[in-house]
Amino acid sequence: MTSLAMSSFRNDSSVIDNLESSGRSTARRDTTAVMTLLKLSDAYRDYADSNNFSTLCTTGGLQQYINRRAREGDGGVAMTAEDQHAASRTDCHETTFYHLPVNVQLYIFSFLSPFDLCRGARVSRLFYTISCDDVLWRLRLQSDVRLWRTVGSFTNPDMYANLQPNWTEKDIYIKCSPDFNRIRRRDYFVVHQLSSFLRSFIPGPSPKIVMLGPGLESAGSNRIVRKILCDSSIFDVVGFSAGEHTGMGAGITLRLNSHCFDLITLYSNTKYEREQDRNPQRSNRLFVSGKEGKTSYCLTPAARDVIRNGNALIYVVNSSKANEAAFRNDCYKEQFSAAISSLRSSLYFPLLVIAAVPDSSTNKIAAIDVSRMLDLSTVTSPWQVHDVEVDSLFGMTEGMEWLLQQTQRW
């Protein structure tokens, strides 16, 4: 401080002493002391600002005296509006999160990520209560579930909401979230690696995976088979597998990491016939219409035998928003029901639904909506829906690894 400020502070120190000695007599003088000290503090601050001082020297005793008198209150004497405003100024810096209304606390916690909510539950009892609020987690689940790139039979929030009424919204979120499941797999990575190593000593044929679906013939997603065969960074072509005598069932042997499998692709017809025939249902080699003009479909005997001789099924759909109208068509769902009809008689037949889009910039239908449109909750076999970008095959590896793991469990 300058000499002028120091002399002013020395003169004011006598005022503080007099106020402290006289403040013991009446509570009214205590309130007047608070007002005087606030004015002195403001005067020092204004003087420093007017002289462009970079720092302001404030005595600790002065600030402590103001805080102590403000906490003690008015001592039973009515405070004026000016005194109340001064007391609020001293109390404002002591307002904490615990003093906020509950709705404000919930609103603040709504900006936290699910991981931060779980960490915040360990801070205190109040934080635990807010972090486990059902409304907070329900809103989080409704907003995040449409961003999840995968949904499965054991990670379907609709199933747990119906079958587990005692579960909280937080329990359902943690059970179904792909991020939390990824952490669980990482914790058991050594166990999975050891089990895969031991299975490699057990001789057995390569699993047969059958792939079909309207996505294989839809514009935008029909290049997925070509990408699988040509992208050597993910899949290695090992050889070819023979088909049945009917001409169906021939496939290609591929290797993903250390797993070999036969991929059998089923189309409704040849490429030339699909391009020339404007009515694909008239010459469909996979599905036939029901009797007496009914709209239901069933698999042809040849296609049914190929699927039954396989170990797993991949069903490809075009999940772009532009294809949503065709996706909601009844025949779309009926063909899917016919394709998985052979799964109902099998004890264990895993199903992978690939929700394919051309690239990352394409607006797509959420994976949870794909599972609802196909009514996958009625499928008894283990299933998963994975979002896959055809150009980069992003999401394909994770889905295929899950499918191959399922084929080794039986």
Side-chain angles (χ1 to χ4, degrees), residues 142-361:
Q142 292 174 356
S143 61
D144 290 356
V145 71
R146 299 189 178 279
L147 303 178
W148 294 349
R149 298 184 59 89
T150 176
V151 176
S153 54
F154 298 104
T155 59
N156 185 13
D158 296 339
M159 181 190 69
Y160 292 106
N162 297 327
L163 301 181
Q164 300 290 344
N166 296 328
W167 281 29
T168 64
E169 298 292 336
K170 179 181 178 181
D171 296 334
I172 296 176
Y173 189 102
I174 294 177
K175 178 66 177 179
C176 302
S177 172
D179 294 332
F180 282 95
N181 289 324
R182 195 173 294 111
I183 293 177
R184 294 192 192 96
R185 290 195 299 269
R186 185 180 61 191
D187 294 339
Y188 292 97
F189 176 76
V190 177
V191 178
H192 290 308
Q193 290 294 105
L194 179 60
S195 60
S196 299
F197 176 75
L198 294 177
R199 288 195 190 98
S200 63
F201 290 97
I202 302 175
S206 300
K208 294 182 179 181
I209 300 177
V210 183
M211 176 187 288
L212 74 158
L216 296 177
E217 305 172 13
S218 177
S221 60
N222 54 2
R223 295 177 290 107
I224 187 170
V225 176
R226 184 182 305 175
K227 287 291 296 184
I228 291 175
L229 299 179
C230 297
D231 194 346
S232 59
S233 61
I234 301 177
F235 299 97
D236 294 329
V237 179
V238 178
F240 297 91
S241 58
E244 303 293 335
H245 65 278
T246 57
M248 299 184 66
I252 300 175
T253 304
L254 301 175
R255 180 187 292 112
L256 175 63
N257 298 330
S258 59
H259 303 284
C260 290
F261 61 95
D262 295 338
L263 182 63
I264 303 170
T265 307
L266 300 181
Y267 290 94
S268 64
N269 223 316
T270 63
K271 181 179 179 181
Y272 176 79
E273 291 174 337
R274 294 196 305 268
E275 293 176 351
Q276 296 297 323
D277 195 351
R278 297 185 179 181
N279 187 9
Q281 300 302 331
R282 186 172 56 188
S283 59
N284 198 320
R285 296 192 303 174
L286 299 180
F287 302 99
V288 292
S289 301
K291 297 180 180 180
E292 299 179 359
K294 295 182 179 180
T295 57
S296 58
Y297 296 90
C298 61
L299 286 171
T300 60
R304 184 174 59 251
D305 292 340
V306 171
I307 295 177
R308 287 180 177 178
N309 292 331
N311 304 109
L313 181 66
I314 298 178
Y315 198 81
V316 184
V317 296
N318 187 344
S319 63
S320 60
K321 280 287 186 178
N323 194 49
E324 186 172 6
F327 203 102
R328 296 183 180 276
N329 198 330
D330 291 338
C331 67
Y332 212 91
K333 182 178 178 180
E334 290 173 357
Q335 288 185 2
F336 172 74
S337 300
I340 65 173
S341 59
S342 58
L343 276 63
R344 304 184 189 278
S345 59
S346 303
L347 296 177
Y348 197 87
F349 205 101
L351 168 67
L352 174 63
V353 177
I354 296 180
V357 292
D359 48 47
S360 58
S361 62

Side-chain angles (χ1 to χ4, degrees), residues 108-126:
I108 293 174
F109 268 60
S110 66
F111 291 95
L112 298 179
S113 66
F115 291 105
D116 291 335
L117 287 175
C118 294
R119 295 187 186 102
R122 298 181 294 178
V123 173
S124 64
R125 190 178 297 273
L126 175 64

Side-chain angles (χ1 to χ4, degrees), residues 37-149:
L37 292 172
L38 283 173
K39 292 178 181 179
L40 289 175
S41 178
D42 292 339
Y44 292 146
R45 187 174 290 105
D46 294 338
Y47 181 80
D49 293 339
S50 62
N51 289 273
N52 296 325
F53 289 162
S54 59
T55 58
L56 176 63
C57 209
T58 305
T59 59
L62 174 63
Q63 190 65 42
Q64 293 175 9
Y65 182 84
I66 295 174
N67 297 339
R68 185 174 69 254
R69 290 304 184 189
R71 286 194 297 268
E72 290 174 357
D74 57 3
V77 181
M79 297 179 65
T80 63
E82 186 178 3
D83 294 336
Q84 293 177 1
H85 177 66
S88 65
R89 291 179 59 186
T90 58
D91 279 338
C92 65
H93 72 284
E94 295 182 357
T95 301
T96 63
F97 179 83
Y98 296 89
H99 299 123
L100 297 176
V102 177
N103 57 339
V104 178
Q105 293 174 345
L106 286 172
Y107 181 73
I108 293 174
F109 268 60
S110 66
F111 291 95
L112 298 179
S113 66
F115 291 105
D116 291 335
L117 287 175
C118 294
R119 295 187 186 102
R122 298 181 294 178
V123 173
S124 64
R125 190 178 297 273
L126 175 64
F127 275 42
Y128 175 82
T129 303
I130 299 175
S131 299
C132 298
D133 185 79
D134 262 356
V135 176
L136 186 66
W137 282 97
R138 185 181 300 113
L139 296 176
R140 173 65 66 179
L141 179 61
Q142 292 174 356
S143 61
D144 290 356
V145 71
R146 299 189 178 279
L147 303 178
W148 294 349
R149 298 184 59 89

